[in-house]
Amino acid sequence: LEDKVEFRRGSAQAYARHPAELLMANLHLSLQEELLAKGAFHDRQSVIISGLLPSEGDRLYENLADLGLKMVDQVRTDRWITMLLEHPAL
């Protein structure tokens, strides 16, 4: 998959607007909200979010839904949530 997948090492903020179809974020809520404010979740075909408490995931999802991202799947326990979101228009 070398011609299809690119891995970057560095601060998430430095790559907030780096073009990519898929964004994966296993980060605490405050950093994910900071990335949201920087436009990191805009124009993404797919987003995988994890590393959040369920209540935090619900809070973040409300903001991501405003961008047109739709919930495709989620894994939820009483301690963690992982969400797969897609933007149907992209």
Side-chain angles (χ1 to χ4, degrees), residues 26-38:
N26 183 11
L27 305 165
H28 55 82
L29 179 63
S30 62
L31 182 51
Q32 291 198 48
E33 288 178 328
E34 181 182 342
L35 293 172
L36 178 66
K38 290 180 176 286

Side-chain angles (χ1 to χ4, degrees), residues 58-76:
D58 293 340
R59 177 174 148 187
L60 184 62
Y61 176 66
E62 289 178 15
N63 293 315
L64 296 173
D66 290 342
L67 299 176
L69 287 160
K70 306 288 183 201
M71 182 83 67
V72 174
D73 198 5
Q74 66 177 305
V75 176
R76 180 185 288 259

Side-chain angles (χ1 to χ4, degrees), residues 3-71:
D3 61 328
K4 295 182 171 107
V5 178
E6 180 180 329
F7 292 92
R8 298 281 181 139
R9 184 175 181 174
S11 72
Q13 297 90 330
Y15 294 101
R17 295 297 297 152
H18 186 77
E21 293 176 16
L22 170 65
L23 175 93
M24 294 188 300
N26 183 11
L27 305 165
H28 55 82
L29 179 63
S30 62
L31 182 51
Q32 291 198 48
E33 288 178 328
E34 181 182 342
L35 293 172
L36 178 66
K38 290 180 176 286
F41 298 99
H42 293 69
D43 304 322
R44 304 296 181 179
Q45 185 176 359
S46 300
V47 174
I48 298 173
I49 299 292
S50 62
L52 300 174
L53 298 170
S55 61
E56 294 172 334
D58 293 340
R59 177 174 148 187
L60 184 62
Y61 176 66
E62 289 178 15
N63 293 315
L64 296 173
D66 290 342
L67 299 176
L69 287 160
K70 306 288 183 201
M71 182 83 67

